[in-house]
């Protein structure tokens, strides 16, 4: 269970970095015309990544690890490429640390 908590922490920190870095760059670029063209989409992308992280963390809390991976894979790759290299890398490491199978709760029957 420690791996799941570590993965959640890495995903949260990565998502926060993916919001802060474009926000900082966007504020600096808003002083120029290019800031409106480049800065605002980066800020919107960072916010979208953060929202997807919240959805993925909710799925992890429910024990649905595979669904959380599917939810966060594309945003973490976009964060790695476009917003924050460190944030995207932390999110991907967090995804790798998640268990490969969903958690089975008491009374639940798994059908193969």
């Amino acid at each position: 269970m420690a791996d799941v908590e570590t993965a959640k922490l890495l995903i949260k920190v990565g998502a926060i970095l993916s919001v802060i870095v474009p926000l900082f760059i966007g504020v600096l670029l808003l002083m120029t015309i290019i800031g409106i063209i480049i800065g605002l989409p980066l800020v919107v992308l960072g916010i979208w990544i953060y929202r997807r992280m919240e959805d993925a963390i909710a799925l992890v809390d429910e024990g649905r690890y595979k669904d959380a991976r599917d939810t966060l894979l594309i945003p973490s790759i976009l964060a790695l490429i476009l917003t924050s290299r460190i944030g995207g890398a932390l999110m991907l490491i967090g995804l790798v640390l998640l268990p490969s199978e969903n958690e089975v709760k008491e009374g639940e029957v798994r059908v193969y």
Side-chain angles (χ1 to χ4, degrees), residues 1-28:
M1 213 47 154
D3 288 341
V4 173
E5 294 301 319
T6 305
K8 283 173 47 177
L9 179 67
L10 288 173
I11 291 169
K12 287 179 183 179
V13 170
I16 289 170
L17 284 174
S18 296
V19 172
I20 290 174
V21 171
L23 187 63
F24 179 72
I25 292 171
V27 167
L28 287 178

Side-chain angles (χ1 to χ4, degrees), residues 26-75:
V27 167
L28 287 178
L29 289 177
L30 281 178
M31 296 176 202
T32 65
I33 273 298
I34 199 163
I36 296 171
I37 297 169
I38 295 174
L40 287 177
L42 283 178
V43 171
V44 170
L45 179 64
I47 292 170
W48 178 75
I49 290 169
Y50 187 79
R51 299 279 172 133
R52 295 293 286 189
M53 179 274 303
E54 290 175 338
D55 295 342
I57 293 298
L59 290 171
V60 168
D61 289 338
E62 294 175 8
R64 297 170 49 193
Y65 304 122
K66 184 168 177 6
D67 295 336
R69 282 184 178 186
D70 294 342
T71 300
L72 205 57
L73 184 62
I74 301 283

